[in-house]
Amino acid sequence: MRVWGSKRRPNVVRADRRQGVRLAARAGADEFLDHLVGAGLLDAKGAERARAAFETLPSMPSVLTELGLVDETKMVVALAAFSGIPVLPLDALPLEPALPERLTADYCRRARVLPVEAGPPPVLAVVDVFREDHLDVLSYALGGASFRLIGPGAFDAACRRLYGEESGDTEEDEGARALGGDTERLEDAARQAPIIRLANSLFRTAFELGASDIHIEPGETDLVARFRVDGVLVRPQVMPKSAHTGLATRIKILAELNIAERRMPQDGRMKVVDRGREVDVRVSVLPTTHGEALVLRLLGQSRRSAGYEALGFAPDFAGRIDAMADRPNGIFLVTGPTGSGKTTTLYTLLQRLSDGRNKIVTVEDPVEYRVSGVTQVQTHAAIGLDFAAALRSLLRQDPDVVMVGEIRDRETAQIAVQAALTGHLVLSTLHTNSAAAAVTRLVDMGVEPYLLAAVLNGVVAQRLLRLLCTECRRVLPAEPPERAIVERHRPGLKGTGEILLAHPVGCPACNGTGYRGRTVVAEGMEVDRALSALIAERAGERTLEDAAVAGGMSRLVADGLGKALALETSLEEVLRHLGSGDDT
């Protein structure tokens, strides 16, 4: 028996009562807003925004989280205190649909209700408590029910896990038929409900997976979205090709890009809300043979303030970073390939240096994170504001610390060296595979070795390795080939007892990948007098690296193996990123 097909249900609210029900719901929502203001979770301006939005969105909890006015977790706790209905712990969510013969997936989505236990009495998780008539209908139809509160974002995630994605191909096709060649029709299509739901669905999936990027790739006959999780693209989602133009236009509108331009690359940024928290999104649009490909980078604000140890640096290594960057002048570099966490490391360092006593100015492309107390400059190549031009100008701002997003060319490198020589601390990044390679790269750019020897404080080279899922990893004794690799870089383990290594398995907690989260592995080359002399003498990369190791530097592969031996990551992951080190 389904709820809405039951002959036992009470009379449905008639047309002459609907307005009264709506007014009662509004009154309850208004009281809740006053409760939030009184609790200090919402200001008066935010409350007015919520009241205005409530005219079009029927659920006040959804209004508060969609607008980013209140953190979802805090909102649910406050709603529980206000209503007397307890919060449903997220670990109590069902693993399979409850009461499927009585509450269909379509009804649950529309009514924002989730059966948790069959009972008796049934336990139902609800998003909105202000439609008391609706709760009464459910309780009556089920012969009694016990209610729990759940946030809108957690509800959506649970529905997708239990019932799958909503089927919307027909609606997407209808939305696509509105597309035309002129700007007005493109805007109209991008604002249609199916396209908005599709875009929102991609962001929700990305947040649930903990993705760093969303890749939207048009093909000849379809459209594919993939999510980069822990550095690997996963979960391909195939959509009809007819949705492509509308989806691309929707994202370009939000990122304030030119929707009429489809032949040239474009870059922009936007904000989206994840359970009440604003997330910055960097948007890159690239024309391809099958249409515009988009990459959306989700810039989580929590990553830049987590501290060195939360990023994966050992305490003693964090101390070495501080020592290299704690000098009043000179250059400190972080190197590695794209996606190795260089910028996050620099931002963590900036947070430490931003103590109110230093004037800190950055020039970036783009500005990825906003840092309080730091003056940040965005480059704009189209008007001639590149790294070199911006660096020349910001030096007139009398900074103590200068961060250059990346040293890309000879001019920028030379200005950075001059800034260091004139008493500034310069922080920047380079794309090199090792710490020693940063020296040869700068010399190749045209920096005189004797000048570089005078200003270089140190270099950190880093990579990001995936962490093994602690729920399913399998620990086994090392096989002979594995042991040989470990012993080559850890000679102290030769002739010792059993060496244990962990391997990925895959489970629901890690989405079947065997990995969950990432950690940093790094090598730090602090430039002392001996290294400075070698740099001035134009010593080669291998000579510099050997001297740094003799002075206490641990190579990247050795650091990675240390995390494998600690069962944090797998040997396979170390070798995938760093190789076996046969040439060292």
Side-chain angles (χ1 to χ4, degrees):
M1 181 180 67
R2 295 179 181 174
V3 169
W4 298 116
S6 171
K7 295 181 180 179
R8 298 174 53 205
R9 65 188 171 94
N11 292 331
V12 178
V13 178
R14 293 189 175 91
D16 58 351
R17 293 185 56 206
R18 287 177 184 157
Q19 184 64 21
V21 170
R22 176 68 176 171
L23 289 174
R26 172 179 269 286
D30 280 341
E31 289 182 21
F32 179 51
L33 291 176
D34 293 338
H35 174 79
L36 291 174
V37 172
L41 296 175
L42 185 67
D43 58 23
K45 185 177 179 181
E48 289 306 311
R49 285 183 63 196
R51 288 187 176 96
F54 192 54
E55 296 294 336
T56 54
L57 291 174
S59 166
M60 181 55 74
S62 296
V63 167
L64 293 167
T65 55
E66 287 290 334
L67 294 182
L69 297 174
V70 183
D71 176 84
E72 179 169 308
T73 302
K74 295 179 180 177
M75 186 274 296
V76 174
V77 172
L79 185 56
F82 175 80
S83 65
I85 299 176
V87 176
L88 177 74
L90 295 183
D91 59 7
L93 286 167
L95 299 178
E96 56 185 30
L99 299 173
E101 74 286 353
R102 305 188 73 181
L103 297 175
T104 66
D106 183 59
Y107 170 75
C108 290
R109 286 193 176 100
R110 285 189 290 108
R112 309 288 280 170
V113 58
L114 189 71
V116 177
E117 297 177 13
V123 177
L124 306 176
V126 295
V127 172
D128 192 353
V129 301
F130 301 116
R131 286 290 306 273
E132 293 183 6
D133 64 310
H134 179 60
L135 302 186
D136 290 342
V137 168
L138 276 169
S139 182
Y140 186 89
L142 295 172
S146 178
F147 295 102
R148 302 288 186 272
L149 285 175
I150 188 171
F155 173 84
D156 290 335
C159 269
R160 280 193 296 278
R161 188 173 64 254
L162 292 172
Y163 304 120
E165 297 286 344
E166 286 188 82
S167 176
D169 290 356
T170 301
E171 289 184 301
E172 300 296 350
D173 291 341
E174 290 174 358
R177 282 196 286 271
L179 300 179
D182 60 90
T183 302
E184 286 187 11
R185 295 184 73 185
L186 285 170
E187 289 180 345
D188 288 343
R191 292 189 173 99
Q192 289 194 13
I195 293 296
I196 293 174
R197 283 201 300 272
L198 178 59
N200 291 344
S201 173
L202 293 177
F203 282 117
R204 282 196 301 267
T205 301
F207 293 140
E208 290 165 17
L209 293 173
S212 61
D213 304 83
I214 305 172
H215 291 246
I216 300 172
E217 303 160 338
E220 185 174 356
T221 59
D222 55 20
L223 179 66
V224 177
R226 295 189 291 169
F227 306 88
R228 189 176 294 281
V229 180
D230 297 333
V232 179
L233 288 173
V234 300
R235 189 76 73 84
Q237 183 173 327
V238 181
M239 299 164 284
K241 181 65 179 287
S242 56
H244 173 243
T245 305
L247 179 61
T249 303
R250 172 70 181 168
I251 293 170
K252 288 163 75 174
I253 287 173
L254 294 174
E256 298 182 349
L257 299 176
N258 183 357
I259 64 173
E261 177 58 71
R262 295 187 236 172
R263 298 171 299 172
M264 295 291 291
Q266 296 189 70
D267 295 294
R269 63 188 308 132
M270 56 193 274
K271 288 183 182 292
V272 295
V273 176
D274 172 30
R275 302 188 186 184
R277 294 181 294 271
E278 283 192 339
V279 176
D280 283 325
V281 180
R282 197 170 79 197
V283 179
S284 172
V285 183
L286 181 69
T288 72
T289 55
H290 298 301
E292 291 176 311
L294 298 94
V295 175
L296 314 178
R297 170 153 291 188
L298 310 177
L299 305 172
Q301 292 294 318
S302 61
R303 290 186 298 171
R304 63 172 170 82
S305 57
Y308 293 127
E309 292 187 29
L311 298 177
F313 289 108
D316 60 334
F317 197 96
R320 295 190 69 187
I321 294 177
D322 284 342
M324 288 185 275
D326 213 18
R327 304 176 190 178
N329 59 289
I331 295 178
F332 172 72
L333 298 172
V334 182
T335 76
T338 300
S340 59
K342 301 185 298 296
T343 302
T344 303
T345 298
L346 277 188
Y347 271 108
T348 302
L349 177 57
L350 278 184
Q351 289 284 90
R352 193 191 67 79
L353 294 174
S354 181
D355 56 5
R357 294 177 294 179
N358 293 314
K359 166 82 173 191
I360 303 176
V361 185
T362 74
V363 52
E364 306 169 60
D365 180 25
V367 175
E368 294 197 13
Y369 306 108
R370 316 295 186 191
V371 183
S372 177
V374 175
T375 302
Q376 296 174 271
V377 178
Q378 166 78 56
T379 63
H380 197 333
I383 60 173
L385 186 63
D386 55 15
F387 277 116
L391 186 54
R392 277 194 300 268
S393 297
L394 66 84
L395 288 176
R396 303 187 191 105
Q397 293 281 311
D398 188 30
D400 298 298
V401 180
V402 176
M403 187 187 96
V404 184
E406 182 184 345
I407 296 178
R408 297 178 177 173
D409 52 45
R410 176 177 182 174
E411 187 176 11
T412 304
Q414 290 179 334
I415 296 172
V417 169
Q418 288 301 318
L421 287 170
T422 52
H424 303 88
L425 176 62
V426 180
L427 315 176
S428 192
T429 69
L430 273 177
H431 286 277
T432 63
N433 291 325
S434 67
V439 174
T440 54
R441 175 65 57 84
L442 288 171
V443 172
D444 289 344
M445 284 183 181
V447 177
E448 290 293 338
Y450 71 91
L451 292 177
L452 187 58
V455 299
L456 188 61
N457 296 345
V459 185
V460 168
Q462 66 179 63
R463 302 287 191 280
L464 291 178
L465 302 186
R466 291 181 294 171
L467 288 168
L468 285 164
C469 175
T470 56
E471 300 292 326
C472 64
R473 67 184 178 186
R474 179 182 293 126
V475 179
L476 298 170
E479 297 289 338
E482 296 172 330
R483 183 167 187 129
I485 293 173
V486 171
E487 290 177 346
R488 185 185 312 131
H489 298 280
R490 298 276 177 143
L493 294 177
K494 288 183 178 179
T496 61
E498 191 174 64
I499 294 177
L500 298 178
L501 296 173
H503 303 270
V505 177
C507 69
C510 59
N511 293 302
T513 64
Y515 296 92
R516 186 165 56 172
R518 286 195 288 180
T519 187
V520 69
V521 292
E523 61 182 21
M525 186 179 77
E526 188 170 1
V527 179
D528 55 17
R529 289 186 178 181
L531 269 175
S532 181
L534 288 173
I535 293 171
E537 294 169 3
R538 297 179 177 268
E541 181 179 327
R542 177 60 62 85
T543 301
L544 292 172
E545 187 169 286
D546 290 343
V549 171
M553 183 183 84
S554 177
R555 286 189 173 96
L556 273 169
V557 65
D559 191 31
L561 286 173
K563 300 213 169 182
L565 291 169
L567 308 182
E568 295 177 22
T569 190
S570 65
L571 181 61
E572 299 96 315
E573 181 72 359
V574 174
L575 299 181
R576 185 171 75 91
H577 283 276
L578 305 173
S580 63
D582 289 334
D583 60 340
T584 61

